[in-house]
């Protein structure tokens, strides 16, 4: 495999508050990679720095062998990178259809219509609610809409921050499986996820963050089967 994203010695945070302390990480073309770790360890900050939503102090970010360090969010989107934040990821006062339109403001009408039709094939439940105001959606439906809006740009790489947080078990399973299916469409996935076992069960590899550093990385299967990791990072000891 060839590296799609490569991050070297990334440090950063918010203003003068440093969160990351030298992160090294890569994602290969076509992979599903999950980042796990305790609350406050820098998982979400890491993605936000890549997407220009938090401060980078040092380090480099490369995408498709190009240095994208410090690029603006709109430039990243135009180069095939999408980001779905954990909160404030939809426009609640707009309809579902209008939210999708907002994801393709720079597209011609016929192209936008084609992409919305493509989204409806992936998320038929979004089509069912297309005329409804977004704030009327359930938590799981909102998350599907947020992902759908990000996909309107037809990204080759998508980053998601805690997409199953506070969702019912039914929607957690649905959302993670839908995210996994994106790989069959040529979309590489990097996800920060608190429901670690669920996400890792569908992932290729995983990274464990702690105190702003990568403390372990391995295949997802090896992480899931490591009893010590299970005890401290996956919510319960592994019983295998």
């Amino acid at each position: 495999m060839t590296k799609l994203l490569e991050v070297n010695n990334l440090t950063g945070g918010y203003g003068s508050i440093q969160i990351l302390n030298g992160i090294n990480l890569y994602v290969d073309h076509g992979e599903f990679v999950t980042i796990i770790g305790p609350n406050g360890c820098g998982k979400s900050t890491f993605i936000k720095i890549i997407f220009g939503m938090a401060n980078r102090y040092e380090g480099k970010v490369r995408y498709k062998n190009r240095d994208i360090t410090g690029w603006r969010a709109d430039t990243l989107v135009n180069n095939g990178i999408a980001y779905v934040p954990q909160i404030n990821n939809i426009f609640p006062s707009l309809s579902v259809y209008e939210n999708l339109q907002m994801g393709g403001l720079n597209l011609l009408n016929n192209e936008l219509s084609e992409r919305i039709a493509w989204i409806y094939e992936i998320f038929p439940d979004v089509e069912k609610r297309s005329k409804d105001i977004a704030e009327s959606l359930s938590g799981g439906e909102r998350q599907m809409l947020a992902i759908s809006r990000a996909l309107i740009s037809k990204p080759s790489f998508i980053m998601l921050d805690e997409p199953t947080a506070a969702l019912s078990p039914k929607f957690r399973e649905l959302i993670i499986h839908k995210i996994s299916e994106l790989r069959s469409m040529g979309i590489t996935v990097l996800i920060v996820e608190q429901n670690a076992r669920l996400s890792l069960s569908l992932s290729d590899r995983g990274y464990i963050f702690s105190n702003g550093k990568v403390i372990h990385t391995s295949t997802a299967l090896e992480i899931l089967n490591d009893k010590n990791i299970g005890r401290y990072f996956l919510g319960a000891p592994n019983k295998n």
Side-chain angles (χ1 to χ4, degrees):
M1 284 188 173
T2 56
K3 290 182 175 63
L4 181 69
L5 179 79
E6 188 171 12
V7 179
N8 295 306
N9 195 35
L10 189 67
T11 65
Y14 304 95
S16 62
I17 302 174
Q18 183 167 337
I19 305 295
L20 300 187
N21 300 297
I23 297 291
N24 294 292
L25 178 151
Y26 72 90
V27 181
D28 283 332
H29 283 270
E31 277 195 309
F32 184 146
V33 174
T34 295
I35 300 173
I36 67 172
N39 291 337
C41 68
K43 305 185 300 294
S44 297
T45 302
F46 172 74
I47 291 183
K48 288 178 180 177
I49 290 175
I50 293 175
F51 210 70
M53 300 181 69
N55 301 117
R56 178 192 65 88
Y57 304 156
E58 295 180 349
K60 295 290 184 181
V61 180
R62 296 186 65 82
Y63 174 72
K64 294 184 177 179
N65 291 320
R66 298 176 65 187
D67 187 346
I68 63 167
T69 309
W71 281 19
R72 295 188 343 179
D74 59 337
T75 305
L76 295 173
V77 171
N78 291 335
N79 280 272
I81 301 176
Y83 165 61
V84 182
Q86 179 182 353
I87 59 174
N88 300 323
N89 52 21
I90 63 168
F91 299 99
S93 63
L94 300 181
S95 72
V96 168
Y97 184 78
E98 288 168 336
N99 267 270
L100 296 178
Q101 287 181 310
M102 293 295 289
L105 289 176
N106 296 324
L107 300 176
L108 297 175
N109 287 339
N110 61 336
E111 189 175 15
L112 177 60
S113 296
E114 289 174 359
R115 294 195 185 183
I116 291 177
W118 172 65
I119 290 297
Y120 288 162
E121 291 179 5
I122 303 170
F123 290 106
D125 288 340
V126 172
E127 181 178 16
K128 293 175 183 176
R129 301 296 304 271
S130 62
K131 296 180 181 180
D132 297 333
I133 298 301
E135 66 181 356
S136 71
L137 302 181
S138 69
E141 290 170 334
R142 288 189 181 206
Q143 201 61 35
M144 284 191 286
L145 176 57
I147 297 170
S148 297
R149 192 163 62 85
L151 292 176
I152 288 289
S153 64
K154 276 290 183 82
S156 55
F157 178 52
I158 188 168
M159 300 183 293
L160 304 103
D161 186 6
E162 304 279 14
T164 72
L167 299 186
S168 68
K170 171 188 172 182
F171 273 115
R172 286 202 298 265
E173 292 272 354
L174 175 61
I175 293 295
I176 289 295
H177 278 85
K178 286 292 186 180
I179 291 170
S180 178
E181 290 171 6
L182 297 178
R183 287 179 292 176
S184 67
M185 306 169 197
I187 303 173
T188 302
V189 176
L190 177 63
I191 181 174
V192 167
E193 183 52 56
Q194 66 176 8
N195 293 295
R197 289 188 184 277
L198 176 60
S199 187
L200 286 168
S201 70
L202 296 172
S203 297
D204 298 296
R205 294 186 302 112
Y207 286 86
I208 301 176
F209 282 23
S210 183
N211 295 320
K213 296 181 179 180
V214 173
I215 62 168
H216 184 72
T217 181
S218 186
T219 67
L221 184 60
E222 288 174 341
I223 293 174
L224 284 169
N225 287 331
D226 188 312
K227 294 181 179 180
N228 291 323
I229 291 174
R231 183 176 297 114
Y232 292 107
F233 295 104
L234 303 183
N238 193 301
K239 297 180 180 179
N240 293 335

